[in-house]
Amino acid sequence: MSDHRLPQPDRPWVMRTYAGHSDARRSNELYRKNLAKGQTGLSVAFDLPTQTGYDPDHVLARGEVGKVGVSIAHKGDMHQLLDGIPLDEMNTSMTINATAAWLLGLYVTVAEENGVGRSALKGTTQNDIIKEYLSRGTYAFPPEPSMRLIADMVAFSVNEVPSWNPTNICSYHLQEAGATPVQEIAYALCTGIAVLDEVKARGQVADEDFPRVFGRISFFVNAGIRLIEEIAKLRTMSALWQQIGRERYGVTDEKMLRFRYGVQVNSLGLTEAQPENNIQRIVLEALAVTLSRDARARAIQLPAWNEAMGLPRPWDQQWSLRIQQVLANETDLLEYPDIFDGSRVMDGLVEELTEGARAEMAVVEEHGGAVNAVPYMKARLVESHRERVARIEAGEQKVIGQNSYTETEDSPLTAGADGGILTPDPEVERERVEALAEWKAERDEEAVKAALADLAEAAADDSVNIMPATIAAAKAGATTGEWAQTMRDVFGAYRAPTGVDGASAPSEREQMEKIRRRVDETSEKIGHRIKILVGKPGLDGHSNGAEQVALRARDVGMEVIYQGIRLTPEEIAESAVQEDVDVVGLSILSGSHLELIPEVVRLLREEGLEVPVVVGGIIPVADAERLREAGVAGVYTPKDFDVNRIMGEIVELVGQRAGAGAAA
């Protein structure tokens, strides 16, 4: 047989759909349907309270329960979520980070209570806390104890759950936060090094087993629309990771050195304008992670075409699964060796990216490694994202349907009564709060108290692995919020850097001069510099948009108050009053806008602060109208990509208020 074909076609990658919403029962129904449609692995999306360690009845969980994923408060929920799913056969990926130790504890508990030994379990916990500080915001504890939790999970998994990937270094969200390919490679690999060094330092894995630790580190990457560059990025990451294994950790086993990654392709580039264009974007991005055999993804989940608009329906998720199935079963891409071997273009790109990534990794190392370099990396990502936004605004970077070829027919995909998206049942939160109260009333309270006391003792002793006490608490019936609060009591609270203060001045100032003059004129008119409070109510940690608004407001001459993520409506209103701001800008992408935004408006009015409130996020048209009726002055969604225009409208609102005040 000729060497340009494989003797046998490769097996397809694991095909997943990132799914979960409302409660365990509804999500279990969805999983069973997806598996029946040919999905070959589970990918569990948890709601924000579960991700950040709060029970459904906590004040910060208000409006967030079951919105962006499934609510899991205790082992009873986990039993219901996995009902009828054979855990000894299933490969389960859980997108969970700050509370990963707890969710793995629940998973092990449910398996064992169903007669499946922990050593038989296969799957992945994302469990990358560095990227939470840099991009996604669902952290719960400070960096050092968070890294300890990850290292404890790695040691526990290698020793007791050998087919489990205990951490999934996640460069996906770095690209969503604006990372260039060089930054995505460098920051992800630096995070991998930080985890491995922490595992080594804790000494819970024998030296002869350390290659297995290296071999169980997996990655979760992003693939954007620049197809050739993305393929080169993945080939670069693969080569650099193997080099790190050999040179830094002395790993020689080729199987353990393999760069193992799963992928979700880019959601940042999906548009609300002409959303049907997202399908071809998703297909091209899927090709970026499948075409090169030597750097092919081991598991893939694709976003749905309508994720820039809201929560996908089951049919939308099916469409994305079918894209994978067509690629794997109808094309011939699994039949050949790597088609890029010997390519002058690919070799040149890989060399270019390797050089850039090594230089950036050296800078992170100079800052003391990934944990200490979080403020540096965050500021660089904010800058890169600002440059991307500016290129789109200026038309230098074309986005079809958004800033180029904008003439369009109405889309039949969004013509239905639901607007083309799924709206979770608004009763879910009330149901979950009631169910939690029932769970607590029926469990053995003394057993829970004793288990949580043991957990606190384990957390306080840095030499102890946290997993045995975590599993014991899960088996006793403790809740997500109780586990996390026990950790918070020991580890303390933490607020990550916003990156806004550390970001340098913009290079393109000319396009801002007009708006700067308007800011100056209005500031003179009201007698002080325009002051804007940018806030993120609720648990939504996707702060990229809020950071860009805060940065642009600063760049055009406003005084900016931005305290980062995870604020209650009460905290936002209190801050607005104390700072005596002229306008409040709120960012929310989790679907909790109808619960939280009107509450902020109401509290501001109660305090007598009659300032305009503007909102940005993934907000359906009908909801935008309801927000305006509640007193919101402006609503911005992903189609509003021109940040200077938004700044101009904010200045106009402040000027109108000043005029109305003077007239009164």
Side-chain angles (χ1 to χ4, degrees):
M1 184 160 211
S2 60
D3 62 0
H4 68 275
R5 292 182 187 274
L6 295 172
Q8 292 289 328
D10 284 334
R11 280 190 310 171
W13 51 90
V14 175
M15 297 184 192
R16 293 190 173 117
T17 304
Y18 182 52
H21 66 86
S22 306
D23 60 10
R25 178 184 58 78
R26 291 173 174 93
S27 293
N28 177 262
E29 288 171 7
L30 179 62
Y31 294 161
R32 288 185 186 223
K33 286 177 183 174
N34 285 347
L35 291 168
K37 291 171 185 171
Q39 184 176 302
T40 54
L42 278 187
S43 183
V44 182
F46 296 98
D47 72 354
L48 288 171
T50 306
Q51 291 183 49
T52 50
Y54 296 103
D55 285 333
D57 59 355
H58 193 278
V59 62
L60 273 169
R62 185 173 52 193
E64 306 280 18
V65 178
K67 282 282 167 58
V68 300
V70 59
S71 169
I72 300 293
H74 46 72
K75 71 173 183 179
D77 290 340
M78 191 64 104
H79 270 292
Q80 194 170 41
L81 181 74
L82 301 170
D83 183 41
I85 293 171
L87 297 188
D88 51 347
E89 299 171 24
M90 185 53 56
N91 190 309
T92 303
S93 169
M94 295 193 279
T95 301
I96 197 76
N97 296 282
T99 56
W102 174 246
L103 269 299
L104 179 58
L106 289 175
Y107 195 84
V108 168
T109 295
V110 166
E112 291 184 339
E113 290 183 354
N114 284 329
V116 177
R118 61 183 66 174
S119 62
L121 300 177
K122 295 185 290 292
T124 301
T125 29
Q126 192 169 95
N127 202 20
D128 173 3
I129 207 65
I130 301 291
K131 73 100 171 52
E132 295 301 328
Y133 302 132
L134 293 178
S135 56
R136 193 163 162 268
T138 61
Y139 55 82
F141 319 118
E144 288 77 10
S146 294
M147 291 298 286
R148 172 206 165 175
L149 291 180
I150 294 171
D152 281 357
M153 284 181 68
V154 172
F156 169 78
S157 299
V158 166
N159 292 327
E160 299 197 38
V161 199
S163 294
W164 194 268
N165 300 315
T167 184
N168 195 220
I169 308 300
C170 188
S171 72
Y172 172 84
H173 293 97
L174 302 182
Q175 188 178 123
E176 297 291 297
T180 64
V182 161
Q183 289 170 333
E184 187 179 344
I185 296 166
Y187 299 165
L189 295 183
C190 284
T191 298
I193 288 169
V195 168
L196 288 164
D197 286 355
E198 180 73 11
V199 173
K200 209 172 236 310
R202 286 186 64 68
Q204 295 177 356
V205 179
D207 286 346
E208 61 268 24
D209 287 334
F210 201 78
R212 288 202 297 126
V213 173
F214 191 89
R216 290 251 62 94
I217 303 290
S218 63
F219 288 77
F220 186 68
V221 306
N222 204 328
I225 196 68
R226 290 172 58 80
L227 176 67
I228 309 303
E229 188 174 65
E230 292 293 340
I231 295 170
K233 178 188 78 181
L234 292 161
R235 290 170 71 93
T236 302
M237 288 182 89
S238 180
L240 282 173
W241 183 242
Q242 290 181 42
Q243 187 180 0
I244 288 166
R246 285 194 183 93
E247 295 178 6
R248 190 178 180 107
Y249 300 107
V251 181
T252 55
D253 185 335
E254 291 298 322
K255 188 179 175 188
M256 297 300 166
L257 284 165
R258 198 179 298 153
F259 179 69
R260 300 159 61 253
Y261 78 93
V263 67
Q264 171 159 317
V265 304
N266 192 286
S267 292
L268 177 67
L270 302 184
T271 60
E272 180 187 13
Q274 297 181 27
E276 61 277 3
N277 294 336
N278 294 330
I279 284 295
Q280 50 264 39
R281 292 184 179 112
I282 291 166
V283 172
L284 287 167
E285 290 163 357
L287 281 173
V289 295
T290 54
L291 271 179
S292 175
R293 183 177 188 252
D294 292 348
R296 183 172 292 148
R298 294 168 68 95
I300 297 175
Q301 59 192 43
L302 301 181
W305 66 276
N306 53 354
E307 283 193 20
M309 299 156 54
L311 193 65
R313 301 158 301 189
W315 183 85
D316 307 312
Q317 293 187 325
Q318 175 184 301
W319 196 358
S320 288
L321 176 62
R322 294 291 184 250
I323 290 171
Q324 295 200 59
Q325 290 167 332
V326 169
L327 266 181
N329 296 290
E330 294 189 27
T331 77
D332 58 348
L333 66 79
L334 294 174
E335 296 174 14
Y336 307 106
D338 199 293
I339 63 174
F340 296 100
D341 275 352
S343 161
R344 178 168 52 88
V345 170
M346 192 56 66
D347 289 350
L349 266 174
V350 167
E351 188 179 334
E352 188 182 300
L353 290 172
T354 300
E355 192 177 313
R358 280 190 179 132
E360 190 63 17
M361 288 172 75
V363 176
V364 172
E365 206 62 41
E366 284 167 18
H367 280 80
V371 176
N372 292 327
V374 163
Y376 162 77
M377 293 189 289
K378 179 67 176 177
R380 297 295 80 79
L381 290 174
V382 170
E383 286 175 4
S384 294
H385 197 39
R386 172 172 60 192
E387 287 165 14
R388 176 186 176 274
V389 169
R391 288 195 304 273
I392 293 172
E393 282 180 296
E396 294 165 17
Q397 182 171 326
K398 283 187 166 46
V399 181
I400 305 305
Q402 183 165 294
N403 68 356
S404 179
Y405 304 108
T406 53
E407 289 297 315
T408 182
E409 302 294 332
D410 290 338
S411 171
L413 293 174
T414 59
D418 61 3
I421 55 172
L422 176 71
T423 304
D425 186 343
E427 286 296 296
V428 164
E429 186 163 322
R430 183 188 58 76
E431 290 171 7
R432 297 293 298 127
V433 170
E434 287 177 4
L436 178 66
E438 285 174 24
W439 175 264
K440 286 184 174 180
E442 291 171 8
R443 68 186 182 178
D444 182 340
E445 200 62 34
E446 290 308 309
V448 171
K449 282 180 184 172
L452 291 174
D454 290 345
L455 179 67
E457 195 176 313
D461 185 346
D462 191 57
S463 68
V464 173
N465 189 299
I466 205 74
M467 287 307 299
T470 292
I471 292 169
K475 288 186 173 176
T479 68
T480 299
E482 289 168 339
W483 178 88
Q485 190 55 49
T486 302
M487 298 291 109
R488 285 186 178 98
D489 290 344
V490 176
F491 297 151
Y494 181 72
R495 186 165 283 279
T498 66
V500 173
D501 293 337
S504 59
S507 52
E508 294 292 327
R509 299 188 72 90
E510 294 80 10
Q511 58 181 313
M512 294 184 210
E513 280 311 310
K514 185 178 175 186
I515 183 67
R516 284 179 70 88
R517 284 197 299 273
R518 289 176 64 191
V519 169
D520 290 343
E521 288 164 8
T522 303
S523 296
E524 196 172 319
K525 179 177 169 185
I526 63 177
H528 59 265
R529 183 64 41 192
I530 295 176
K531 189 185 279 191
I532 180 171
L533 170 69
V534 178
K536 284 195 64 63
L539 294 174
D540 168 35
H542 288 85
S543 57
N544 305 331
E547 287 154 6
Q548 292 307 312
V549 167
L551 202 58
R552 186 65 59 87
R554 186 195 77 181
D555 291 343
V556 299
M558 296 188 206
E559 186 179 340
V560 179
I561 311 296
Y562 177 53
Q563 296 159 331
I565 63 170
R566 215 175 296 172
L567 300 167
T568 64
E570 289 79 6
E571 287 170 331
I572 290 171
E574 185 182 342
S575 183
V577 172
Q578 286 179 351
E579 297 286 352
D580 194 20
V581 299
D582 302 295
V583 59
V584 173
L586 303 176
S587 166
I588 196 157
L589 288 92
S590 63
S592 56
H593 43 269
L594 289 178
E595 290 87 353
L596 299 179
I597 304 297
E599 182 68 2
V600 174
V601 174
R602 186 186 68 77
L603 290 167
L604 288 172
R605 284 175 177 164
E606 266 186 18
E607 294 287 348
L609 192 63
E610 295 286 342
V611 296
V613 175
V614 297
V615 179
I618 298 176
I619 299 170
V621 174
D623 290 359
E625 194 51 46
R626 290 173 67 182
L627 289 175
R628 289 189 187 94
E629 288 168 5
V632 171
V635 178
Y636 299 98
T637 65
K639 71 178 183 300
D640 299 302
F641 63 91
D642 188 338
V643 187
N644 279 341
R645 177 179 69 81
I646 295 171
M647 290 296 117
E649 291 175 5
I650 287 172
V651 172
E652 195 171 317
L653 285 169
V654 173
Q656 286 171 356
R657 173 182 172 251

